[in-house]
Amino acid sequence: MKENKLISSVKEAITAAGVKDGMTLSFHHHLRNGDYVLNMVMEAVAELGIKNLKLNVSSIFECHKPLIEHIKNGVVTEIETDYMSGSVGKAISEGIMEKPVIFRSHGGRPDAILSGESPIDVAFVAAPTADPMGNCSGKYGPSACGSIGYAFPDAMAAKKVVVITDNLVPYPLVDYSIEETYVDYVVKVDKIGDPSGIVSGTTKITRDPVGLMIARYAAKVIEHSGLLKDGFAFQTGAGGASLAAAKFLKEIMLEKGIKGSYALGGITSYLVDMLNEGCFEALMDVQCFDLGAIESIRTNPKHMEVSAQRYASNYYKSSCVDSLDVVILGATQIDTDFNVNVHTDSNGYIMGGSGGHSDTAAGAKLAMIVAPLSRARLSIVVDKVLTVSTPGKTIDVLVTQRGIAVNPNRPELKERLVKAGLPIVDIHDLKKMAEEITGVAEPIKTGDKVVAKVMYRDGTCIDEIKNVITK
Amino acid sequence: MKENKLISSVKEAITAAGVKDGMTLSFHHHLRNGDYVLNMVMEAVAELGIKNLKLNVSSIFECHKPLIEHIKNGVVTEIETDYMSGSVGKAISEGIMEKPVIFRSHGGRPDAILSGESPIDVAFVAAPTADPMGNCSGKYGPSACGSIGYAFPDAMAAKKVVVITDNLVPYPLVDYSIEETYVDYVVKVDKIGDPSGIVSGTTKITRDPVGLMIARYAAKVIEHSGLLKDGFAFQTGAGGASLAAAKFLKEIMLEKGIKGSYALGGITSYLVDMLNEGCFEALMDVQCFDLGAIESIRTNPKHMEVSAQRYASNYYKSSCVDSLDVVILGATQIDTDFNVNVHTDSNGYIMGGSGGHSDTAAGAKLAMIVAPLSRARLSIVVDKVLTVSTPGKTIDVLVTQRGIAVNPNRPELKERLVKAGLPIVDIHDLKKMAEEITGVAEPIKTGDKVVAKVMYRDGTCIDEIKNVITK
């Protein structure tokens, strides 16, 4: 005989949850660049005069630009996140925060939260559908986003959990993701997000000839890696070249009649098609990238939602990344030791983050970077990356349009690919090839202030990001 | 790149998990009286010479009789459980253990485990289907039992988790219940249980005229309680009279066109029929009682598995019992203060336990006891129950074939039922009616040794069970 958990406004929920100066609030990013929830909570918090908060957000997008004012006003004084793009990343790089941002990976974040290393006082769950006791899902409702996998650790570990929804349904929500046992309060609002920002209509394969060439090489590397056989497990990103690689891989799998086991990660319509055409037995989905993926997770029992910890944990007894055969990943820079930077751009500005990069690289038998040899007249391959996001020892191969470099710690892989007639090149030679066109880049000059720390998935600090020098 | 978790025998798993003298091992009871797993583990433990163990078992059945030898030999020196029937209960009652058994409820057990009050060193999960990384389910395989809801807290909180299966499938098991993040080892054995003991073919409605009369009254009480309207939430047991009450309730619901929200608990084919005929929107299932329930949970997305904590927790932020309107429960004795005994029989022997009795009674708006006025020539209604399993303040009404007694703390309910023309009787008068036929029973004489303690769902001790005096 407990009453339901409905509370009439975000502000009242903040008060009921006991939010006070110095606490840690958490948010997840499945509503992506259409998210209204972080901003509406932070606006209410600021109005209530609460200060000195730490935010733990699975990713930060351009839509979260109002955070900059909250930082300047002392409402927010610490941030932990896995990924940060747009204006907030730029402002952080310019040094607006006193304390460095803590970057974690998509597996490191749930581990830190659930192990107690990074405790959360109040978690706010943006829920496209919820019932009055807090059972909630991302699969249904006008703001449907599909999986809400990154919100699980927050809900499980936070002292107080507030579910914010724009689609309240009668108890019990049957196909729930996060269950009532974890939820304290439920708030119904008009809209939790802008559907056009939550998902792109469809993610698109690259049409760029360089991207297509890289994708063809990537598919060939997988074909000849010795891993492409029945039971094959795969992850790829949502970038144009990664999707193109999946398309070429699909053709090979269909032609050879190979039945993979599962595809993992952020899920796109391309992977849904591969599931439906029999390339995989299952999709394991921590985040949906497009409408096709949302429709699939809602209707196809083989398309499973997984929590952040089940996706990529290093702390739990195993996670899905541990059974991966191949992952295709991007890079802003890669150095001759195969260390990869996905945090900072060519001017030193924060424009991304690990996401699942280092987790999948560590878990997969074959971790492949796909990248054009140069971008914006700068070589992708450098002597030393500005920021180490993923350690080189976990990266097996770099695929560019001018050739494929295999990590020297994988001689058997190199042998296979040479035998297959693929253009294998030493990574130092790739660097030279690029620099013959682009010239040797000036080293990026950064300031002395540490604006962010990059924590590896095991919780150790693998790099620091310094402020940019503005003119 | 973690290897799979397969280990070749139960004995090796015990060693790998580091089982040592004095540790706590846990088991769940979904294989019911067909369970082989507890016995096979304990036999191996005994062979390894390990002693002084505490067992935490969600329920103990006749098939677990070999435990008696393990107790006598000092292998097992402490037991926590929610229910204990058959030979083990008898032996405990006769005083074979030095330390009292700790009885908890189905909600109190997960709470004690997950809050850290009752830690588990190694949990053994009997899994009708599992993959090599430990994702497992009860829905599939030759030993399918449906829900494995009671195993969730064990898997989530134990330091080490061993999954024992007789149906190993390729990774990933898509429709899993307990996930790999919690599992350390997976053992494939020939058989985890005897299907004929795991489920009865079908649970049966009573044909006894007294039982049917009680069931009709029970359905009438619900009909006139003010709670039977759209959104109605219901739990009933698998006893003959409880099932008959569900049958009569179904007729009323269909006739009146009432759409309930959910039925909860151990699920039978009768509740599955009610789901399929539109009486409920969902079933929430912590344990399947028959083949029809297993088939339904496997195929009908509206038939959900729930964990023990989601079923009945008092420690978490809410559980399914909190939203119940009506629960129908049994009793071996009920006293004039409405305290109920479901632990001990008329000779003082342990023959049951709370299960979800006290949890649902506390959660439901209307907790109803159905029982014949007398059993084995003894009145069901007594001055004082031998064992308090469920406190009288949480029981609202007692339904017998000779009349219906309403708890004096529910005057508005009494008024409703009187108005409906139901035979409302003071509980003291029910006792008199019974004793006019049975005579006044001799009080049960027990010994001085505390053989078990009954912990209420909040973890406080509400009663102690003394040894029986054997001749």
Side-chain angles (χ1 to χ4, degrees):
Chain A
M1 273 192 289
K2 281 185 191 163
E3 290 307 310
N4 66 50
K5 301 171 183 174
L6 290 173
I7 207 157
S8 59
S9 73
V10 169
K11 206 175 266 185
E12 286 171 65
I14 290 166
T15 305
V19 177
K20 287 190 184 60
D21 289 5
M23 281 190 169
T24 298
L25 312 187
S26 91
F27 301 88
H28 63 109
H29 74 279
H30 296 90
L31 302 182
R32 292 152 47 96
N33 201 32
D35 176 43
Y36 291 168
V37 169
L38 186 148
N39 292 341
M40 78 173 72
V41 170
M42 293 313 299
E43 194 182 319
V45 160
E47 282 175 18
L48 288 164
I50 302 165
K51 297 262 179 187
N52 199 24
L53 295 170
K54 177 172 172 178
L55 297 198
N56 188 333
V57 191
S58 54
S59 293
I60 293 171
F61 293 95
E62 182 58 31
C63 65
H64 300 126
K65 193 176 173 183
L67 265 184
I68 296 172
E69 282 309 302
H70 296 308
I71 293 168
K72 288 185 180 163
N73 294 335
V75 177
V76 175
T77 49
E78 287 181 77
I79 292 178
E80 271 195 44
T81 190
D82 305 346
Y83 181 94
M84 187 186 276
S85 63
S87 301
V88 180
K90 186 159 179 289
I92 297 292
S93 294
E94 289 171 356
I96 60 160
M97 279 189 98
E98 209 164 300
K99 293 186 185 170
V101 164
I102 302 297
F103 273 111
R104 298 190 188 272
S105 70
H106 281 340
R109 179 178 187 272
D111 289 353
I113 291 171
L114 289 159
S115 69
E117 187 188 333
S118 186
I120 295 169
D121 291 295
V122 185
F124 294 88
V125 177
T129 291
D131 71 28
M133 297 301 274
N135 298 290
C136 59
S137 165
K139 298 179 190 173
Y140 309 93
S143 305
C145 62
S147 175
I148 52 170
Y150 294 119
F152 279 72
D154 307 45
M156 291 169 75
K159 292 189 194 80
K160 296 285 178 184
V161 176
V162 179
V163 164
I164 300 180
T165 189
D166 54 9
N167 189 40
L168 191 67
V169 297
Y171 184 90
L173 173 62
V174 176
D175 183 15
Y176 65 88
S177 297
I178 289 171
E179 65 178 44
E180 62 181 289
T181 49
Y182 299 118
V183 179
D184 294 278
Y185 306 106
V186 178
V187 185
K188 164 83 167 68
V189 297
D190 284 343
K191 279 208 89 40
I192 60 168
D194 169 12
S196 72
I198 296 171
V199 283
S200 46
T202 349
T203 35
K204 285 263 191 302
I205 282 184
T206 188
R207 291 182 176 195
D208 165 47
V210 170
L212 287 172
M213 181 175 285
I214 295 167
R216 274 207 187 82
Y217 280 147
K220 286 277 175 200
V221 168
I222 296 170
E223 181 179 3
H224 297 289
S225 65
L227 298 167
L228 190 65
K229 53 194 177 194
D230 286 351
F232 175 70
F234 179 59
Q235 175 164 342
T236 188
S242 302
L243 290 177
K247 177 178 171 283
F248 295 129
L249 178 66
K250 178 171 102 173
E251 288 166 9
I252 295 167
M253 291 179 78
L254 290 176
E255 192 191 309
K256 297 198 166 180
I258 291 163
K259 304 275 177 205
S261 57
Y262 69 98
L264 175 66
I267 298 294
T268 63
S269 297
Y270 292 97
L271 292 169
V272 171
D273 290 345
M274 291 178 83
L275 174 71
N276 292 336
E277 294 185 42
C279 296
F280 297 108
E281 281 298 314
L283 299 182
M284 289 150 118
D285 186 341
V286 71
Q287 180 187 5
C288 294
F289 282 124
D290 58 30
L291 291 171
I294 295 173
E295 173 66 16
S296 171
I297 200 172
R298 181 163 50 216
T299 55
N300 188 344
K302 291 184 169 182
H303 185 154
M304 310 149 69
E305 180 176 40
V306 292
S307 66
Q309 62 272 27
R310 189 172 179 215
Y311 168 41
S313 172
N314 181 54
Y315 165 78
Y316 280 88
K317 284 137 179 200
S318 70
S319 60
C320 300
V321 299
D322 294 319
S323 296
L324 273 177
D325 288 300
V326 174
V327 62
I328 301 179
L329 297 164
T332 57
Q333 292 180 310
I334 179 167
D335 67 27
T336 49
D337 292 325
F338 288 81
N339 297 303
V340 174
N341 174 14
V342 287
H343 277 88
T344 45
D345 69 13
S346 55
N347 297 311
Y349 279 98
I350 293 167
M351 46 54 72
S354 292
H357 201 285
S358 56
D359 301 308
T360 52
K365 294 192 183 71
L366 173 62
M368 177 197 297
I369 302 295
V370 294
L373 199 54
S374 63
R375 264 198 215 104
R377 300 197 199 170
L378 287 168
S379 173
I380 290 291
V381 188
V382 294
D383 285 328
K384 197 170 174 340
V385 288
L386 180 64
T387 308
V388 177
S389 308
T390 298
K393 65 180 180 197
T394 64
I395 299 294
D396 301 299
V397 61
L398 164 66
V399 178
T400 75
Q401 76 275 30
R402 294 289 300 279
I404 298 162
V406 180
N407 190 320
N409 70 15
R410 297 294 309 275
E412 82 299 347
L413 177 66
K414 183 175 170 183
E415 201 178 313
R416 279 177 179 277
L417 301 182
V418 167
K419 210 177 273 175
L422 287 167
I424 305 303
V425 188
D426 187 283
I427 195 164
H428 298 86
D429 294 333
L430 281 179
K431 178 169 173 277
K432 267 182 231 155
M433 283 183 219
E435 288 178 349
E436 276 164 19
I437 300 159
T438 60
V440 178
E442 290 283 307
I444 301 164
K445 282 186 193 123
T446 56
D448 294 329
K449 178 177 176 177
V450 176
V451 297
K453 292 184 175 199
V454 180
M455 316 305 281
Y456 190 53
R457 63 197 302 252
D458 62 5
T460 59
C461 179
I462 47 168
D463 210 347
E464 296 179 338
I465 300 174
K466 302 279 177 64
N467 65 308
V468 294
I469 299 166
T470 50
K471 281 134 209 171
Chain B
M1 274 193 286
K2 281 185 189 163
E3 290 307 310
N4 67 50
K5 301 171 183 173
L6 290 173
I7 208 156
S8 58
S9 73
V10 168
K11 206 175 266 184
E12 285 171 66
I14 290 165
T15 305
V19 177
K20 286 188 184 59
D21 290 7
M23 280 189 170
T24 299
L25 312 186
S26 91
F27 301 88
H28 62 109
H29 73 279
H30 296 91
L31 302 182
R32 294 154 43 98
N33 202 31
D35 176 43
Y36 291 169
V37 169
L38 186 148
N39 292 341
M40 79 173 75
V41 170
M42 292 313 298
E43 195 182 319
V45 160
E47 282 175 19
L48 288 164
I50 302 165
K51 297 261 180 188
N52 200 23
L53 294 170
K54 176 172 172 178
L55 297 198
N56 188 332
V57 191
S58 53
S59 293
I60 293 172
F61 293 95
E62 182 58 30
C63 65
H64 299 126
K65 194 176 173 182
L67 266 184
I68 295 171
E69 282 309 303
H70 296 310
I71 292 168
K72 288 183 178 163
N73 294 334
V75 176
V76 174
T77 49
E78 288 181 76
I79 292 179
E80 271 195 44
T81 190
D82 305 346
Y83 181 95
M84 186 185 275
S85 63
S87 300
V88 180
K90 188 161 178 288
I92 298 292
S93 294
E94 289 170 355
I96 61 160
M97 279 189 96
E98 209 165 297
K99 292 186 187 170
V101 164
I102 302 297
F103 273 111
R104 297 191 188 272
S105 70
H106 280 340
R109 180 178 187 270
D111 290 351
I113 291 170
L114 289 158
S115 69
E117 186 188 334
S118 186
I120 295 168
D121 292 295
V122 185
F124 294 88
V125 178
T129 291
D131 72 28
M133 297 302 274
N135 298 292
C136 60
S137 166
K139 298 180 191 173
Y140 309 93
S143 306
C145 60
S147 176
I148 53 170
Y150 295 120
F152 280 72
D154 308 45
M156 291 170 73
K159 292 189 193 78
K160 297 284 177 185
V161 175
V162 179
V163 164
I164 300 181
T165 189
D166 54 9
N167 189 41
L168 191 68
V169 297
Y171 184 91
L173 173 61
V174 175
D175 183 16
Y176 65 90
S177 297
I178 288 170
E179 65 179 43
E180 62 181 292
T181 49
Y182 299 118
V183 179
D184 294 277
Y185 306 105
V186 178
V187 186
K188 164 83 167 69
V189 297
D190 284 343
K191 278 207 89 44
I192 60 167
D194 169 12
S196 73
I198 296 171
V199 283
S200 46
T202 348
T203 35
K204 285 265 191 301
I205 281 185
T206 188
R207 291 184 177 192
D208 165 48
V210 170
L212 287 172
M213 180 175 284
I214 295 167
R216 270 205 191 85
Y217 280 147
K220 285 277 175 203
V221 168
I222 296 170
E223 182 179 2
H224 296 289
S225 66
L227 297 167
L228 190 65
K229 51 193 177 193
D230 286 350
F232 176 70
F234 180 59
Q235 174 163 343
T236 189
S242 302
L243 290 177
K247 177 178 169 284
F248 295 129
L249 178 66
K250 179 172 102 173
E251 288 167 8
I252 296 167
M253 291 179 78
L254 290 176
E255 193 192 307
K256 297 198 168 181
I258 291 164
K259 304 277 176 204
S261 57
Y262 69 98
L264 175 65
I267 298 293
T268 62
S269 296
Y270 292 96
L271 291 170
V272 170
D273 289 345
M274 290 179 83
L275 175 71
N276 292 336
E277 294 185 41
C279 296
F280 297 109
E281 280 298 314
L283 298 182
M284 290 149 119
D285 186 341
V286 71
Q287 180 188 6
C288 294
F289 282 124
D290 59 30
L291 290 171
I294 295 172
E295 173 66 17
S296 171
I297 200 174
R298 181 164 50 218
T299 56
N300 188 343
K302 290 183 170 183
H303 187 154
M304 310 148 70
E305 180 177 40
V306 293
S307 66
Q309 62 272 26
R310 190 174 178 212
Y311 168 41
S313 172
N314 182 53
Y315 165 77
Y316 280 89
K317 286 142 178 194
S318 69
S319 60
C320 299
V321 299
D322 295 319
S323 296
L324 274 176
D325 288 300
V326 174
V327 62
I328 301 180
L329 296 164
T332 58
Q333 291 180 312
I334 180 167
D335 67 27
T336 49
D337 292 326
F338 287 81
N339 297 303
V340 175
N341 174 14
V342 288
H343 277 88
T344 46
D345 69 12
S346 55
N347 296 309
Y349 279 96
I350 293 167
M351 46 55 71
S354 293
H357 201 285
S358 56
D359 301 308
T360 52
K365 293 193 183 71
L366 174 62
M368 177 196 296
I369 302 297
V370 294
L373 198 55
S374 63
R375 264 198 215 102
R377 299 195 200 171
L378 287 168
S379 173
I380 289 291
V381 188
V382 294
D383 284 328
K384 197 172 173 340
V385 287
L386 180 64
T387 309
V388 177
S389 308
T390 297
K393 65 179 181 201
T394 63
I395 299 294
D396 300 299
V397 61
L398 164 65
V399 177
T400 75
Q401 75 275 29
R402 295 287 300 280
I404 297 162
V406 180
N407 191 321
N409 69 15
R410 295 297 309 276
E412 81 300 348
L413 177 65
K414 182 173 170 184
E415 199 178 316
R416 279 176 180 279
L417 301 183
V418 168
K419 209 177 274 177
L422 286 167
I424 303 305
V425 187
D426 187 283
I427 196 164
H428 298 85
D429 294 333
L430 282 179
K431 178 169 173 277
K432 269 182 230 155
M433 285 182 215
E435 288 177 350
E436 277 164 18
I437 301 159
T438 60
V440 177
E442 289 283 306
I444 300 165
K445 282 187 193 122
T446 55
D448 293 329
K449 179 177 175 176
V450 176
V451 297
K453 292 185 175 198
V454 180
M455 315 305 280
Y456 190 53
R457 63 196 303 251
D458 63 5
T460 58
C461 179
I462 47 168
D463 210 347
E464 295 180 339
I465 300 174
K466 303 278 177 65
N467 66 307
V468 294
I469 299 165
T470 49
K471 283 134 206 169

